[in-house]
Amino acid sequence: MTDYLDNVDSDWFSKRLSAALTVVIAAFVVLIARLLFLQVIDGAELRRLSEINSIRLRSVDAPRGLIYDIHNRLMADNRPSYDLSITVKDANPLERTIEKLSRYTGIDEAQLWERLEKARGTRAYKPVLLKPDIGREALAAIEVNRWDLPGILVNVSPRRDYIFSPSLAHLLGYMGEISVEELKNKIYSDCKSGDFIGKFGIERVREDWLRGERGGQQVEVNATGQVVRVINTVGATPGHNIVLSIDQSLQLTAEQLLADQAGAAVAVDPSSGQILAMVSSPSFDQNAFISGMSHDTWNALISDPLHPLENKAIQGEYPPASTYKIIVAAAALEEGVIDESTSFFCPGFLKLGNRTYRCWKKWGHGEVSILRALSESCDVYFYKVGLELGVDRLAWYANAFGLGEPTGVDLGHEEGGLIPTAQWKKKRTGVSWQKGETLSIAIGQGFNLTTPLQMAMVASAVGNGGVRYRPMIVKTIRTADGQTMYESVPEVVGRLPISEKNLWLVKEGLFKAVNERHGTAWRSRLEGMAMSGKTGTAQVAGRRDDAADGENDWGSIKDHAWFVAYAPRENPRIAVAVIVEHGEHGSSAAAPVAAEMIRFYLSGGQPNPDAPMAVATASSAEGD
């Protein structure tokens, strides 16, 4: 019985095993047949399809942060740019594709090859930027001939647009394509070849806030490099938006006032140090740096004798001329060299050794006190005061007023000017300081050099009662959705080393300079606005210190015209410094510009149809 049962189990197991083997063999036969079909019968077609479609990763550029003025008026925006690229792997034959691309778009073929040569070493499936911002006509030509241009891509990316260009050019700055050297810098680690970055002004200084974070896409492309479908997207993070302290209406007004002249104008809020306007004339078109600038245009810019690329407000260094008398007066009063009643006689000149140093008023001012010396800008008075103080004490006070070093404004490439000392001259020339040089220093000539921004900050500190602020331009930084990341606060960097009484005397002299009939800026007074200020006429290279009034060894080279001011007289809301290169007289060239800026601002931006849009110089009889 047991043997019978064993035989039954064995037969049942054998049948089940046979059935399983049959199934396995059948599965293998089907699999082998399928493989043979795919490899032999359909292999060529499948290979073609695998080569046609492939998965690529594409970067998505982040929209750059926007820039607004203090009233939230947009000044720097983004617009769509059509950027031409090539994927070398897909552009076969490469030579023929480049030749056709040049023919269809009108882009120089040599320029296309030059860009490819620069990208040598880039992976063949990575797009290479051939030309940014090609324009709609070139885009249309490429779209019409798309199937004849394998590997050619046109991507739409955000591109900077300066709405009021050339207005605000030196302040906002401009963008340019990142260089090979910059790509090696760690601060640009997230950038790639072909990216545009800030090169100058706010665009450069605040690049890290404005740039944003790049996104990406996983896409399927066909044999010609065209996108078949988007598989996945990681969105880009927009850059932060920046609100500046600049009042755009005041800025435009100042630019119009300096039209067709070389010079600079700076307006500051004396209660905070925030810059309300910063003009450098002549200007340039920032958008030309974005769309592409020809070699001829670039050469014309850099060779222009008026230096349009220079921000004269912070980079232009000029003798401060008679505006420096503000500091000399403060130093003399504080050091006890003079007081309110001290007077000197001005016959129109001062003799020192075998030289004669003249006053701008060649027949002299007569008996002069400090208030009249400031208001009528008597050179002889300040010659005598300067001799008493000496160069080193003058330098100490000038430094204490913020001269001789950069102000620390949040812009790049600021110059610090020069305030000389006896030691400085000895070290530089090996020659000791001479008394005659002190006379030149005392009226803001000689080795003295200042920037318009520095002098605006001097006027601001005098007007507000002696507080020195660091000038600021960036007011607020916000994310794209409005979250505040940074809010500026006034930063006090020091106080003027002068007593309240002595500062009052200086301020009284500046008020009289504008509001009394014999004051040098009488013609620029403002009804109901109580402006205080100081004119200045800075001699340029080639003019002798002892030249008679009106003489100029260089013929057509005229002196620079200065004016610094603040208003109202009490609790001022605006301080201004203006320089007009070769304007000749501060009273006739610079003072009207500053006065109109102040009038415009204090009147709430009301236009003045009688404003001098391009101020002509007047006769030398007006003095400073």
Side-chain angles (χ1 to χ4, degrees), residues 197-211:
I197 61 172
K199 296 282 189 175
F200 185 68
I202 290 292
E203 293 280 21
R204 178 179 176 86
V205 174
R206 297 295 176 176
E207 169 69 22
D208 54 340
W209 289 97
L210 289 165
R211 188 162 65 233

Side-chain angles (χ1 to χ4, degrees), residues 452-473:
L453 176 59
Q454 287 175 331
M455 295 311 299
M457 299 313 295
V458 167
S460 172
V462 171
N464 69 26
V467 181
R468 289 182 52 221
Y469 290 101
R470 184 173 75 87
M472 291 184 291
I473 292 179

Side-chain angles (χ1 to χ4, degrees), residues 170 258 261-263 280-284 304 306-310 312:
H170 300 90
L258 284 175
Q261 300 182 94
S280 180
S281 182
S283 188
F284 61 91
D304 190 325
L306 299 181
H307 307 293
L309 293 178
E310 177 187 63
K312 295 179 175 65

Side-chain angles (χ1 to χ4, degrees), residues 469-489:
Y469 290 101
R470 184 173 75 87
M472 291 184 291
I473 292 179
V474 175
K475 188 176 187 299
T476 309
I477 298 178
R478 302 191 185 106
T479 61
D481 58 5
Q483 181 183 355
T484 299
M485 305 298 291
Y486 167 83
E487 188 78 40
S488 67
V489 295

Side-chain angles (χ1 to χ4, degrees), residues 249-431:
S249 297
L250 178 62
Q251 177 82 17
L252 290 173
T253 296
E255 289 171 349
Q256 292 170 353
L257 290 165
L258 284 175
D260 302 320
Q261 300 182 94
V266 179
V268 180
D269 181 349
S271 66
S272 65
Q274 290 185 339
I275 296 176
L276 304 173
M278 179 180 284
V279 177
S280 180
S281 182
S283 188
F284 61 91
D285 180 12
Q286 312 110 290
N287 287 321
F289 289 86
I290 304 296
S291 57
M293 184 181 297
S294 68
H295 290 294
D296 290 342
T297 302
W298 172 249
N299 289 333
L301 274 175
I302 61 176
S303 61
D304 190 325
L306 299 181
H307 307 293
L309 293 178
E310 177 187 63
N311 185 352
K312 295 179 175 65
I314 62 172
Q315 295 175 303
E317 296 177 297
Y318 309 90
S322 290
T323 62
Y324 192 72
K325 292 173 182 175
I326 297 172
I327 296 163
V328 179
L333 288 166
E334 199 64 23
E335 291 291 308
V337 171
I338 59 171
D339 58 27
E340 184 177 3
S341 61
T342 302
S343 65
F344 298 114
F345 182 77
C346 170
F349 61 89
L350 176 71
K351 286 188 174 294
L352 182 68
N354 59 357
R355 293 191 62 183
T356 299
Y357 295 83
R358 300 187 183 278
C359 183
W360 71 265
K361 191 174 183 180
K362 54 187 172 185
W363 52 86
H365 289 88
E367 202 69 31
V368 182
S369 66
I370 184 58
L371 293 182
R372 189 176 168 212
L374 279 170
S375 66
E376 298 184 28
S377 200
C378 175
D379 291 331
V380 170
Y381 189 96
F382 286 96
Y383 287 151
K384 294 182 177 181
V385 165
L387 283 175
E388 290 292 324
L389 286 168
V391 62
D392 291 332
R393 276 201 290 181
L394 280 173
W396 187 89
Y397 276 91
N399 295 149
F401 271 70
L403 304 184
E405 61 182 8
T407 64
V409 65
D410 40 358
L411 287 171
H413 308 294
E414 183 188 10
E415 297 295 340
L418 173 64
I419 298 299
T421 63
Q423 183 182 9
W424 170 85
K425 188 199 172 187
K426 184 71 174 180
K427 183 178 180 180
R428 182 188 179 194
T429 67
V431 179

Side-chain angles (χ1 to χ4, degrees), residues 40-95:
V40 178
I41 299 173
D42 215 19
E45 176 63 14
L46 290 175
R47 181 175 181 179
R48 186 185 68 81
L49 290 173
S50 70
E51 291 178 346
I52 288 177
N53 286 10
S54 60
I55 305 301
R56 302 272 174 83
L57 294 176
R58 297 173 56 186
S59 66
V60 177
D61 292 335
R64 194 168 179 85
L66 308 179
I67 304 178
Y68 299 85
D69 85 334
I70 197 169
H71 301 296
N72 287 313
R73 286 175 286 211
L74 186 60
M75 297 185 294
D77 196 3
N78 297 314
R79 60 172 176 80
S81 170
Y82 304 104
D83 300 336
L84 177 63
S85 300
I86 185 171
T87 303
V88 176
K89 181 179 182 294
D90 300 326
N92 290 319
L94 182 59
E95 291 78 6

Side-chain angles (χ1 to χ4, degrees), residues 544-564:
R544 302 190 313 271
D545 285 348
D546 62 341
D549 189 75
E551 288 183 5
N552 193 316
D553 289 343
W554 285 42
S556 63
I557 297 181
K558 298 178 180 179
D559 298 334
H560 299 326
W562 273 102
F563 188 63
V564 300

